[in-house]
Amino acid sequence: MAKKILVLSASPRKGGNSELLCDQFIRGAAEAGSLVDKIFVCDKRINYCTACDACQGNGGRCVQKDDMAEILDKMISADVLVMATPVYFYTMNAQMKTLIDRTYARYIAVSNKEMYFIMTAAVGNKNLLERTLESFRGFTTCLSGAKEKGVIYGTGAWNKGDIKKSPAMDQAYEMGKFV
């Protein structure tokens, strides 16, 4: 049975390095017969969580009227989540963090997922991306039955398109094929 994959691309620039890696992952997964949906997070209106806690008393419905309910439905129905972010100052970007925070309304239902993380940064040392990975892992530990299956470090990618020269392109493609 084909797996349902949801790719959450948080890059604020289309065709940016993390999005290019997402597209490679998607290409591999699609060739392997998986069903893939990609959300370009910056195309969505996602407000910040206000910690009002209304969602915890009304069945998990956030009172904010934005695109997050639709995204959360897709996260819940997917078998696999791929979360991709550029790294600017040693952690995930604001778009990804806002999305993660807004899962609070129904995060318990985001269960039994295979998780893949894609990170890109100008730095050449992948060890400097460990803080970002630990942030993703912190989110994953809140999800029942979540299993980390793969990490792609897109290092040395400062300018748009730099990642095309990186072995991370092949890694993303291969990882997608074997989801």
Side-chain angles (χ1 to χ4, degrees), residues 131-144:
R131 290 180 195 161
T132 306
L133 182 57
E134 285 307 310
S135 294
F136 276 132
R137 286 177 173 159
F139 173 58
T140 302
T141 61
C142 297
L143 308 178
S144 177

Side-chain angles (χ1 to χ4, degrees), residues 28-138:
E31 286 178 13
S34 294
L35 304 171
V36 185
D37 187 12
K38 179 171 100 172
I39 295 175
F40 191 72
V41 176
C42 289
D43 283 348
K44 301 296 183 179
R45 190 168 60 87
I46 305 171
N47 299 324
Y48 302 110
C49 179
T50 62
C52 70
D53 238 10
C55 60
Q56 298 307 300
N58 69 11
R61 287 182 317 278
C62 183
V63 297
Q64 298 191 63
K65 303 299 180 213
D66 60 9
D67 296 325
M68 192 58 204
E70 169 195 350
I71 295 167
L72 199 43
D73 284 343
K74 289 182 178 193
M75 289 175 74
I76 291 166
S77 69
D79 301 308
V80 177
L81 296 177
V82 179
M83 303 180 83
T85 184
V87 176
Y88 303 134
F89 292 98
Y90 302 98
T91 192
M92 67 183 64
N93 70 354
Q95 292 85 346
M96 180 59 75
K97 180 64 171 122
T98 300
L99 182 142
I100 288 172
D101 288 348
R102 284 295 303 287
T103 66
Y104 177 62
R106 296 176 59 204
Y107 77 94
I108 292 172
V110 184
S111 59
N112 302 312
K113 306 298 177 205
E114 294 179 9
M115 306 291 293
Y116 291 85
F117 305 117
I118 297 173
M119 301 169 292
T120 58
V123 298
N125 182 346
K126 79 175 196 171
N127 293 333
L128 296 175
L129 299 180
E130 290 303 314
R131 290 180 195 161
T132 306
L133 182 57
E134 285 307 310
S135 294
F136 276 132
R137 286 177 173 159

